[in-house]
Amino acid sequence: MKPSIQLMNKKIIKPTPFGTVCIIWSVSNNIHRIVRVLFSKLGLLAENQASEFYPSSRTSSCAEIDAVAAAIKAHLEGEDVVFTLDIVDFTLCSTFQQSVLRATYSIPRGSVSTYQLVAASLGISKGARAVGNALANNPFPFIVPCHRVISSNRHIGGYGGGIAMKQALLEREGIGFDHAERVICKRLHYGKTG
């Protein structure tokens, strides 16, 4: 289903180590907000996704969006970047998805958590699948680091950009993997040492 929002702007970021990234943004009352971050997937460039989902969007930018674009590019190149949620527009997200995105945003660089631990942090004891679904539809990848959420068995889990991209992003943040391709970490965010 195509979003019904009109008068969108887009900022295309290229090149990045993972292909083109496209920021979809709007401005209202002189406040700039990111509506969506799209990244290239196998056979589907970010700019083509932008044209499909936001056909009336125009290529444009401003200082705030340029700063986010530069930060995303630096992040994808392995730099330690801290994003802010002040510039994202949560209005298209359900209340539950907003809570999942905010909990995931709190996972620091170099750390991981599990879908189940994120759910437990929200008071939902059996909500791993719901958290996974909310993150599968994360409109703000990289800003909200959903790549830092893994399966309870410490395998990488899913990712919209594919497992290889998720693993590469984690490795750039200092996360290692064992011979069985499980994440190596001393402590899971929102969890106990183990």
Side-chain angles (χ1 to χ4, degrees):
M1 185 168 132
K2 293 183 181 180
S4 61
I5 297 176
Q6 302 298 318
L7 304 173
M8 291 289 123
N9 299 292
K10 61 187 169 192
K11 167 77 177 181
I12 298 171
I13 309 166
K14 59 182 175 180
T16 80
F18 301 99
T20 306
V21 175
C22 188
I23 299 172
I24 305 297
W25 62 282
S26 65
V27 61
S28 178
N29 296 325
N30 213 23
I31 299 172
H32 303 82
R33 292 280 185 257
I34 295 172
V35 175
R36 188 110 186 248
V37 176
L38 302 166
F39 55 89
S40 295
K41 301 173 185 181
L42 187 60
L44 190 56
L45 297 174
E47 53 264 52
N48 293 347
Q49 294 174 63
S51 294
E52 179 182 341
F53 292 119
Y54 303 93
S56 63
S57 63
R58 62 186 176 96
T59 302
S60 176
S61 198
C62 64
E64 294 90 337
I65 300 302
D66 285 344
V68 174
I72 287 173
K73 186 170 185 193
H75 169 73
L76 293 175
E77 292 171 349
E79 292 183 34
D80 185 1
V81 175
V82 177
F83 294 97
T84 178
L85 293 181
D86 293 342
I87 197 158
V88 300
D89 182 355
F90 282 113
T91 58
L92 295 178
C93 301
S94 69
T95 302
F96 174 73
Q97 186 181 31
Q98 287 181 44
S99 66
V100 170
L101 295 174
R102 289 179 190 281
T104 301
Y105 172 79
S106 296
I107 302 169
R109 178 184 172 87
S111 296
V112 292
S113 192
T114 68
Y115 300 102
Q116 185 57 46
L117 287 172
V118 171
S121 78
L122 299 172
I124 306 165
S125 63
K126 296 187 183 208
R129 186 176 304 272
V131 166
N133 288 335
L135 292 178
N137 296 301
N138 176 7
F140 315 111
F142 317 125
I143 296 170
V144 174
C146 54
H147 63 277
R148 295 179 187 154
V149 183
I150 62 172
S151 298
S152 293
N153 62 9
R154 294 195 186 205
H155 283 279
I156 203 162
Y159 191 66
I163 301 301
M165 182 179 185
K166 185 172 183 176
Q167 184 169 344
L169 288 169
L170 290 172
E171 287 173 338
R172 286 168 189 230
E173 295 183 8
I175 300 293
F177 294 83
D178 68 14
H179 65 283
E181 299 183 4
R182 290 181 305 235
V183 172
I184 300 169
C185 60
K186 293 180 181 177
R187 181 181 181 280
L188 293 167
H189 193 78
Y190 295 122
K192 298 177 183 176
T193 302

